[in-house]
Amino acid sequence: MASKLRSLLSRSGGSFKERRESFVKSSITSRREEDGVDTKLTPLSAVADAFEDLCATVNAGSFDGDLDLKSFCDACSLVSVLFTCLGTAFKFAELEYGAKVGGLKGAIKTHLTLNRIIDYDIKQGTVRTQGSLTRQLRRVRQGIDLISTLFKNFLNSDDPSLKEAASSAYAKTCAPYHTWAVRTAASAGMYALPTREQLLVKLNETHESAEREMRRFIKASDPIIEYIDKLYTKRNISLDW
């Protein structure tokens, strides 16, 4: 597949990066056309597409267990837009998540894969050290889980308010690892969440399209979360932090 991609790109004009981006966009458009859905990407459909690509890589028979750091960061960057759509209530999560993704992006040239990040910190004895790449990866994983769990709660309720769905998602995924001050601020911020209808407007989705795209993201992100967890557990690193 990689050699085929290079062959196709070599026939087009422009820089390699520009040709690669054009190829990816056209591939996404073709896939969505085949599925019979609107080919115009929204924030939600864009992140669903990106995580489906990551999921396909992880589930591929030829996958060697080492996920490319750049591809991972590119997909995770799109999740930040979803935090933004949740307004000031999730500003704390948006800032923390964005900072952690940014930290991982800064390591792309020196640590090409997720495995290398953890192996490096193990050698340095800095796995749980504040600011370590392994710690940042753990926090990004929690951010992905927060959005996925929020979407699950959203789909399982017709409540026009998002307070219960968001509060429950936060309590399950992030609260156990946050300080009392952060948990208190998060709890207070839940009252500033947009309503269900307001969120759909911000996402540029209808009820039907939002359900479809949320389910796509949930289905694609769950294997990525599981994959990241296994990177820790197979090295006898606990997940309680």
Side-chain angles (χ1 to χ4, degrees):
M1 177 64 184
S3 60
K4 181 180 180 181
L5 172 59
R6 293 191 184 93
S7 175
L8 287 170
L9 294 177
S10 66
R11 300 173 194 168
S12 307
S15 68
F16 182 84
K17 181 179 180 182
E18 291 171 340
R19 283 177 275 144
R20 179 180 180 276
E21 290 177 348
S22 176
F23 179 84
V24 171
K25 288 178 181 178
S26 65
S27 297
I28 291 174
T29 299
S30 296
R31 184 171 71 233
R32 292 174 65 78
E33 286 176 341
E34 290 173 358
D35 291 341
V37 299
D38 187 353
T39 58
K40 182 180 179 181
L41 289 177
T42 63
L44 192 49
S45 62
V47 75
D49 279 344
F51 271 80
E52 281 187 344
D53 287 343
L54 284 184
C55 185
T57 298
V58 169
N59 290 335
S62 58
F63 182 57
D64 61 2
D66 216 358
L67 191 60
D68 175 65
L69 180 56
K70 185 180 185 307
S71 299
F72 177 74
C73 287
D74 287 346
C76 290
S77 293
L78 298 173
V79 178
S80 295
V81 180
L82 303 183
F83 281 116
T84 300
C85 290
L86 290 167
T88 57
F90 272 61
K91 193 66 178 179
F92 72 94
E94 178 187 355
L95 293 174
E96 179 182 46
Y97 180 85
K100 300 317 186 230
V101 173
L104 294 178
K105 279 186 173 182
I108 288 174
K109 291 184 179 180
T110 53
H111 301 76
L112 300 179
T113 67
L114 270 60
N115 271 293
R116 293 190 185 184
I117 281 177
I118 301 178
D119 288 339
Y120 173 81
D121 279 332
I122 288 175
K123 290 180 181 179
Q124 298 298 314
T126 56
V127 168
R128 299 198 184 201
T129 301
Q130 192 74 28
S132 75
L133 294 172
T134 301
R135 190 181 186 90
Q136 292 183 51
L137 176 60
R138 180 88 182 120
R139 295 296 175 260
V140 170
R141 173 254 185 250
Q142 289 168 358
I144 297 169
D145 196 14
L146 173 59
I147 292 295
S148 178
T149 304
L150 173 58
F151 284 173
K152 291 173 184 176
N153 294 344
F154 181 96
L155 295 174
N156 288 330
S157 171
D158 293 324
D159 191 339
S161 170
L162 296 180
K163 182 177 180 297
E164 179 58 34
S167 297
S168 176
Y170 174 72
K172 179 181 178 181
T173 61
C174 296
Y177 314 106
H178 283 168
T179 63
W180 176 86
V182 174
R183 293 197 304 270
T184 301
S187 178
M190 295 300 172
Y191 292 95
L193 281 164
T195 64
R196 192 181 190 90
E197 292 297 331
Q198 288 170 338
L199 178 61
L200 293 177
V201 171
K202 289 185 177 184
L203 292 172
N204 194 27
E205 302 284 356
T206 63
H207 287 279
E208 293 75 17
S209 66
E211 178 176 351
R212 180 185 66 238
E213 301 305 333
M214 285 180 181
R215 292 193 186 283
R216 289 178 60 216
F217 175 73
I218 292 167
K219 183 178 179 180
S221 63
D222 281 353
I224 302 303
I225 291 171
E226 181 181 355
Y227 165 76
I228 295 172
D229 284 348
K230 286 182 178 178
L231 293 181
Y232 291 82
T233 56
K234 74 179 183 181
R235 292 172 170 85
N236 296 317
I237 302 172
S238 65
L239 303 175
D240 58 349
W241 56 290

